[in-house]
Amino acid sequence: MNRLVVVSNRVPTPGGGAQAGGLAVALAGLMEQRGGVWFGWSGDISNDHSVKSHQDGNVQYATIDLSQSEHDRYYNEFSNSTLWPLLHSMPELMSFDRRNASVYRAVNERMASSLAPLLRPNDMLWIHDYHLMAMPAMLRARGVTAPIGFFLHIPFPSPDMLASVPEAGALIRDLVAADLIGFQTQNDVENFAEAAHRLAGATRLTGGWLHVDGRRVRLGAFPVEIEAREFAATAEHAWRAAPTERLRRSLQGQKLVLGVDRLDPTKGLIQRLSGYRRLLETRPDWRRRVTFLQIAAESRKDVSAYRVLREAVDREAGAINSEWSEPDWTPLRIVARAGARSTMAGYMREARVGLVTPLRDGMNLVAKEYIAAQDPQDPGVLILSRFAGAAKQLGSALIVNPHDADELADALDTALRMSLSERQERWLSCWRAIEGATPVVWGRTFLATLLRVGSGAPANTVSGPKVVPEVVRQRNVFPG
Ligand code: F6P
């Protein structure tokens, strides 16, 4: 069996605490089961250029530190203030500076040159996410011939949007040095194929292939999955445990509306609060009968857009509470810390409504977790943004436009009033969409495809591999 080498900016090193989000949830089980090398940033800032290696079970964690200026320009600036808003189609939040782009390239170069000596002849490489888009070409330039797969966890925008960043063409040309490039949805695949055509001169072939620079690259949609059955069991258990018990008591019979997100401009938190405000304004019936709990786990605090957002969310939350609270009722509770994943599972099962309304999201695993957490006999209702990748699979949720406060208020009202039979029907259809899949199956499907395309198999022999679901251990991590 080929040794698997996973490369990602964040590496969930054992004992490193809650840090790595959706990416770690998706990959941890696969790595535990299959073993291999997990390479990336240590999470530490220093001028030390050495590779630190640490074996835990059958996984070797190999990491490098970043210097302060690398962290600022590569992570805070180019990755999170240029690429993140660009790829989420939010150009109004984007800033661009050539110096940041060149430090991004330099960090990708350093990652490639630190990793190359660790590789063995039978390795297969799987690079993750927008921080490392230049790495495939940089590894090839160092003579690496192993199959290289790349997976983008966040959306890919239209080529017109992409063109607003001068560096975009170079990044696409670097990326197509991979053998397989995976996305969350077919829409992302289409956008990428068109961008590769316009910016890298690629020609589209049938069967998901691109022809570029005299070679073929395979594209595909691989929607990230959760361990639904295991999450359901966790939620059932957590629902009876102390944290959910305390929350339930504090509600005094009110219906719970729940949001669980990282505090991120893409998550539509301000718009969500406006929707809730509109509900309270236009449907006085719900006052005193509902509580909205928003977990908004603070993240990327060094990036100014995130600090500005925190202030705006606090202001809007304060305004809602001062306007609508009564001495013995508070309509909104907001918590800016991440909680244990199992605690969130219990809260999700308690919530009559799960509010997942990002302005744009690659997938959004919280939407899938909310479905998995429900009691099949008495399920809650998922309100889901049409701009989340998950909406492609969870079409029986109440699908909304997150920008429209009236639509959000209508959906909240509908969800809170929904009959048991309709709740059961909608929930069952969503559950069926996620129950069979697991992150391990997702990972194996990607890797099996990579092995076929990376070993030169013709396009028409690439088909879905046979995979066996297996149970994955869950970790406490930030919501994606
Ligand atoms: O969705 C992209 C992603 O990298 C996720 O894996 C993770 O949930 C989140 O962003 C974490 O971001 P960061 O590493 O910047 O804290």
Side-chain angles (χ1 to χ4, degrees), residues 203-225:
T203 318
R204 201 157 180 191
L205 309 174
T206 53
W209 291 90
L210 286 183
H211 187 263
V212 58
D213 294 338
R215 47 186 289 283
R216 291 186 319 162
V217 182
R218 176 78 194 271
L219 308 181
F222 299 84
V224 173
E225 302 293 351

Side-chain angles (χ1 to χ4, degrees), residues 9-10 19-24 41 75 80 84 88 129-131 153-154 184 262 264 267 299-300 361 478-480:
N9 174 63
R10 289 236 189 232
Q19 54 165 321
L23 190 149
W41 175 41
Y75 175 77
N80 287 323
W84 179 270
H88 282 89
D129 239 355
Y130 59 103
H131 314 86
H153 290 253
I154 65 177
Q184 298 274 19
R262 268 187 317 104
D264 190 290
K267 302 295 180 185
S299 81
R300 303 180 189 162
D361 216 328
F478 274 10

Side-chain angles (χ1 to χ4, degrees), residues 155-338:
F156 197 87
S158 75
D160 284 343
M161 178 72 57
L162 205 68
S164 49
V165 166
E167 191 65 19
L171 284 178
I172 303 264
R173 287 190 291 276
D174 288 340
L175 196 50
V176 293
D179 299 292
L180 171 64
I181 306 175
F183 299 87
Q184 298 274 19
T185 68
Q186 191 55 34
N187 191 39
D188 301 320
V189 171
E190 299 300 324
N191 282 341
F192 183 83
E194 184 56 28
H197 172 63
R198 289 203 213 166
L199 302 174
T203 318
R204 201 157 180 191
L205 309 174
T206 53
W209 291 90
L210 286 183
H211 187 263
V212 58
D213 294 338
R215 47 186 289 283
R216 291 186 319 162
V217 182
R218 176 78 194 271
L219 308 181
F222 299 84
V224 173
E225 302 293 351
I226 64 160
E227 181 62 60
R229 292 215 176 86
E230 192 182 77
F231 198 81
T234 302
E236 195 177 353
H237 184 262
W239 187 76
R240 292 174 219 285
T244 308
E245 182 50 45
R246 278 200 302 274
L247 173 63
R248 190 163 40 245
R249 240 183 292 127
S250 76
L251 292 172
Q252 296 183 318
Q254 293 162 50
K255 290 186 160 79
L256 177 66
V257 174
L258 178 69
V260 181
D261 303 81
R262 268 187 317 104
L263 193 87
D264 190 290
T266 62
K267 302 295 180 185
L269 293 169
I270 296 292
Q271 292 78 356
R272 193 179 304 172
L273 292 177
S274 302
Y276 185 56
R277 178 195 271 270
R278 193 62 53 85
L279 176 84
L280 297 175
E281 275 165 10
T282 58
R283 272 90 165 180
D285 280 11
W286 287 116
R287 296 181 206 154
R288 305 186 65 89
R289 289 172 56 214
V290 69
T291 287
F292 176 18
L293 169 60
Q294 175 65 54
I295 310 288
E298 206 165 38
S299 81
R300 303 180 189 162
K301 281 182 264 187
D302 295 335
V303 180
S304 67
Y306 290 70
R307 288 196 302 272
V308 170
L309 176 67
R310 171 76 198 263
E311 283 164 22
V313 165
D314 284 352
R315 226 182 0 259
E316 180 62 12
I320 290 175
N321 275 340
S322 67
E323 194 165 347
W324 300 106
S325 285
E326 289 173 25
D328 58 349
W329 174 65
T330 311
L332 172 67
R333 302 177 192 178
I334 194 145
V335 177
R337 288 175 308 281

Side-chain angles (χ1 to χ4, degrees), residues 376-379 418-428:
Q377 303 310 315
D378 187 18
M418 195 177 282
S419 68
L420 177 62
S421 60
E422 185 175 349
R423 281 189 279 127
Q424 286 171 333
E425 218 171 281
R426 286 178 181 272
W427 173 82
L428 191 61

Side-chain angles (χ1 to χ4, degrees), residues 25-26 28-30 32-33 227 230 438-440 470-474:
V25 171
L30 181 75
E32 265 164 33
Q33 188 195 87
E227 181 62 60
E230 192 182 77
T438 72
V440 170
E470 289 176 49
V471 171
V472 186
R473 182 150 65 82
Q474 296 208 2

